[in-house]
Amino acid sequence: MTLFDSPSFEGHEGVHSFFDEKTGLKSIIAVHSTARGPAAGGCRMWPYASAEAALEDALRLSRAMSYKNAMADLELGGGKAVIIGDSRTQKTPALFEAFGHAVDTLGGKYWTAEDVGVSPADLMSARKATRYVAGLEGHAAASGDPSPVTAEGVFRGVRLAVRRALKRDLDGVTVAVQGVGHVGAYLAEKLHAAGAKLILTDVNEQALAEVAARTNATVVAPGAIFDAEAEVFAPCALGGAINASTLPRLKARIIAGGANNQLADPEIGREVFERGMLYAPDYVINGGGIINVAAEIRGLERGEAFDPAWVAAKLDRLMVTLEEVLDRALAEGRPTHEVANEMAKARIAQAAAERLAA
């Protein structure tokens, strides 16, 4: 099957591959849509098993970014970059400067930011070669690490889902959090402060122990998190956590977390619905980070300082959108991910039509 035949390629405007022999950079930048504005999405560095696996991840993530930015009501399209490599051993400033050159060749069609395996310091190296970098520090429009804002949106989404499905607040509710990286750790602390009981896991044992100590959480092995006795399952690691093998093991009534592409495929989303579980679509609930990044891009383009009030208003609006998704899904008797996909596609199509008519 060729790239053009792949279901994940559908709707993409372009896919760009880059190789720099001197630094070892192997990168793919996927641009799904620029209908609402320049494509924006983070850069992920991961030791993919193959170039095909990296491409598939880039395609799925870029499409999710289009939907995420549309549902967050941002003047941004969707794109994503991946770098093939181990961020623990293969990172160099020169490699990220080469990545910056790659981003710059797209002429502003794509803005990059941080994602798994990439830090603000890495992006500072990329910034030497391109202006199309967000999530930095040290200038008036800087938004810094978007993880706290992502976690705030996920926390609000979990709370909303609990109120809808369990008819109660978070106090005393057990939440199983898979992954305590930046977003997962911030989310765990917010949930703990709200009175939730936590079950945590992560492959990083040191980070896991530190977060568990701060939140009085129970720790389980990575594979055991799917068997946890919890009302809420919060995936905050890599995608595909909800699949044919893991779904039957979940005891949770609610799936709501910070990870991207939580459903392994659309059919799994329908099975979640048929099991009577409430799924908060990931690209809606975790949109806080890109809202923060969008505020930085907005400031850089306008020559203005970062505006926290603008971010707060967008985050409030995001929760209204999540309620709209849940309301429609309930009224129509349909899975939430199908409703959210329709809403996102409609917003993108409307923007494309308006641009064509202008």
Side-chain angles (χ1 to χ4, degrees):
M1 182 173 64
T2 68
L3 168 64
F4 301 106
D5 297 323
S6 169
S8 298
F9 181 74
E10 182 184 3
H12 276 78
E13 294 180 10
V15 180
H16 311 267
S17 58
F18 301 92
F19 173 64
D20 182 70
E21 186 174 4
K22 185 177 180 180
T23 63
L25 174 73
K26 297 178 182 177
S27 179
I28 298 170
I29 300 177
V31 175
H32 180 263
S33 172
T34 57
R36 295 179 61 89
C43 172
R44 172 173 294 186
M45 187 171 184
W46 190 257
Y48 294 98
S50 65
E52 290 76 16
L55 173 62
E56 180 67 17
D57 204 28
L59 291 173
R60 293 192 68 191
L61 289 167
S62 64
R63 180 176 57 198
M65 287 308 305
S66 282
Y67 293 179
K68 181 184 297 190
N69 292 339
M71 294 300 269
D73 192 29
L74 303 176
E75 293 181 353
L76 294 173
K80 202 75 175 186
V82 298
I83 296 174
I84 302 173
D86 191 330
S87 63
R88 297 168 298 180
T89 59
Q90 294 178 282
K91 270 189 188 182
T92 65
L95 182 142
F96 276 91
E97 187 169 349
F99 171 68
H101 281 292
V103 170
D104 205 60
T105 65
L106 300 183
K109 183 177 288 188
Y110 166 71
W111 281 77
T112 196
E114 66 180 272
D115 196 2
V116 176
V118 177
S119 69
D122 300 325
L123 294 178
M124 286 299 294
S125 296
R127 185 68 172 79
K128 294 178 182 179
T130 185
R131 62 184 290 262
Y132 303 111
V133 179
L136 301 179
E137 300 173 351
H139 59 82
S143 62
D145 181 6
S147 301
V149 188
T150 303
E152 174 63 22
V154 175
F155 168 74
R156 294 190 194 184
V158 171
R159 185 175 60 192
L160 174 60
V162 166
R163 289 172 176 171
R164 296 283 294 249
L166 304 181
K167 311 301 182 186
R168 57 181 295 190
D169 218 328
L170 281 167
D171 190 29
V173 171
T174 302
V175 183
V177 181
Q178 180 196 35
V180 291
H182 287 172
V183 173
Y186 286 122
L187 174 62
E189 290 171 359
K190 289 176 180 292
L191 291 169
H192 174 64
K197 301 175 183 177
L198 299 179
I199 302 172
L200 308 179
T201 196
D202 198 290
V203 295
N204 185 329
E205 294 183 2
Q206 180 179 346
L208 179 61
E210 291 173 355
V211 176
R214 294 198 299 269
T215 59
N216 194 31
T218 300
V219 170
V220 298
I225 195 70
F226 301 104
D227 304 304
E229 297 285 347
E231 288 99 337
V232 181
F233 178 61
C236 294
L238 294 178
I242 313 301
N243 55 54
S245 298
T246 60
L247 179 57
R249 297 163 58 189
L250 291 180
K251 300 176 179 64
R253 289 273 309 281
I254 296 164
I255 299 172
N260 292 312
N261 293 330
Q262 294 170 22
L263 304 178
D265 53 62
E267 289 72 25
I268 288 295
R270 177 154 285 279
E271 188 172 344
V272 167
F273 169 72
E274 291 172 351
R275 287 172 177 264
M277 303 166 76
L278 177 62
Y279 168 60
D282 48 34
Y283 59 79
V284 180
I285 195 174
N286 67 13
I290 194 62
I291 289 173
N292 209 58
V293 168
E296 180 173 342
I297 294 173
R298 182 172 178 267
L300 289 169
E301 295 285 71
R302 299 184 179 195
E304 299 173 354
F306 180 76
D307 187 354
W310 185 89
V311 173
K314 286 291 185 183
L315 201 58
D316 289 343
R317 177 59 196 167
L318 186 65
M319 290 302 106
V320 173
T321 298
L322 177 59
E323 286 202 85
E324 290 175 3
V325 171
L326 300 183
D327 285 342
R328 272 192 55 181
L330 181 62
E332 298 171 14
R334 299 169 59 208
T336 55
H337 75 288
E338 292 182 5
V339 171
N341 286 354
E342 283 186 8
M343 290 174 62
K345 288 178 180 179
R347 292 184 180 192
I348 293 168
Q350 180 180 355
E354 290 173 353
R355 186 174 68 174
L356 193 62

